[in-house]
Amino acid sequence: MTVPTGQRLLPDASGAIRRRGVLAAGLAAAAIWPAGRALAQRSDNVVKIGVLDDMSGPYADQQGMGDVVAARMAIEDFGGRVGDSPIELVHGDLQNKPDVGMGIARRWYDQERVDAIFGLGSSAVAIAVQQLSREKGRISVTVGAGTTELTGKACSPLGVHWLYDNYALARATVTALTGEGKKRWFFITSDYAFGHSLEQNGAAMVRAQGGEMLGASRVPLGEADYSAHILRAAQSGAQAVGLALAGTDFINAVKQMSEFGLMRRGIQPAAMLCLITNIKAIGLPTAQGMVFTEAYYWDQNERTRAFSERFARLHGRPPTMMQASMWGAVTHYLKAVRDAGTDAAEPVMARMRATPIEDFMTTNGRIREDGRVIRDMYLMRAKRPQDSRGEWDLLEVVRTIPGDQAFRPLSEGDCPLVRRG
């Protein structure tokens, strides 16, 4: 179902919720705000959520309206209200441009009284909106972007990095491939904050595993012709080509690597960020054997399958890890609003940090001091065509990476919020 940008998905209704600014207490005081109390008066009487993502560009397939569908499912599962106050959902297309994303976010905050923004599937936009949210006293929950700066120098007391980051993606994938003898690496990198961060983390992992970096080639977002970059990678003598790309950029690069015969020559495409929709688009004959790191796969257990079936009835296919985790992010936020008795950002964030994250895809998750959600990650492998039992039976879980091992240590992030010993 396509919903016009900015349309309310749930009707208006009168209700009661605390006015922003009534609570002046900081996070420490907010942490003891009485749970379960009735929501106090606020001017607009609404809990309003915005989903800001790529709706029309190279990442729309893995984020896009699928994220809106998942957010709507979460709101409906929550009952559509917090106390007597209705929950509203708006969405916008950030177009992978910081000025566009910031313009939408500023309008939402200043004119439409949005309480929290979710998604932010572009690293440059996510960093900018996280800072804006801090200035405006609102909450931002990054689901789709990967840059580790969100929990590094750009960390925020009102920001959460919910799903994955480039450190976690690079660590498991690089470790697996270097362990198979792929020691010489070349990177093809999307030329903006996400790609730079992913290449930086990947290269650091290669060197940490005793490998060698032979070079890198930067490409603009939305590149269609990768021939020159692939030729450079092949001529470098690399055994693995780290693809610090995503969405259709990643798909195009892998297909063209296959057309140029790199796989037949034993040169392995190393997927730094890959999703089930990417494997579907590439096809198992080309993608088979590719390893990468994910936070969710629809066929892991009964709970993941049940959510996937519900989502597919609305969206036509299983969710990506980003779309699945949007449900969990919105649900966790709404629980915090309910338990804090207000939608004021500081007490709600305190509740979010204090409450364990438990849902169909996350067990024993938690929000760390720097805003990083600690969750298990999974090393995945694309199946051989003959092993696939159906259209979306594309992956197998190779191993689980426990959350406390998957992500960058707190001490290495340079987040100003982290207390020093």
Side-chain angles (χ1 to χ4, degrees), residues 340-364:
T342 174
D343 66 354
E346 288 187 349
V348 170
M349 181 57 71
R351 283 289 175 188
M352 290 177 71
R353 291 174 181 269
T355 304
I357 302 169
E358 295 284 344
D359 57 45
F360 66 89
M361 66 173 285
T362 310
T363 302
N364 296 322

Side-chain angles (χ1 to χ4, degrees), residues 186-200 213 215-221 226 229 241-245:
F186 186 97
F187 270 75
I188 299 176
T189 302
S190 191
D191 194 12
Y192 77 111
F194 160 77
H196 300 169
S197 173
L198 197 47
E199 179 192 317
Q200 180 182 15
M213 279 292 298
S217 185
R218 299 283 174 86
V219 297
L221 185 65
Y226 284 84
H229 310 287
V241 178
L243 298 175
L245 310 163

Side-chain angles (χ1 to χ4, degrees), residues 5 52-56 92-108 117 120 122 124-126 128-129 132:
T5 300
L52 184 56
D53 264 325
D54 181 357
M55 300 290 177
S56 58
D93 185 355
L94 52 76
Q95 299 179 36
N96 298 301
K97 299 176 181 178
D99 58 336
V100 173
M102 282 287 281
I104 295 170
R106 194 177 297 278
R107 185 185 77 243
W108 282 356
I117 294 178
L120 299 169
S122 159
V125 177
V129 171
L132 176 68

Side-chain angles (χ1 to χ4, degrees), residues 369-388:
E369 191 175 351
D370 58 353
R372 173 68 260 162
V373 167
I374 303 302
R375 62 168 73 247
D376 291 348
M377 300 291 288
Y378 305 96
L379 186 68
M380 312 294 296
R381 180 183 289 116
K383 289 186 171 183
R384 299 181 304 171
Q386 60 266 36
D387 295 331
S388 174

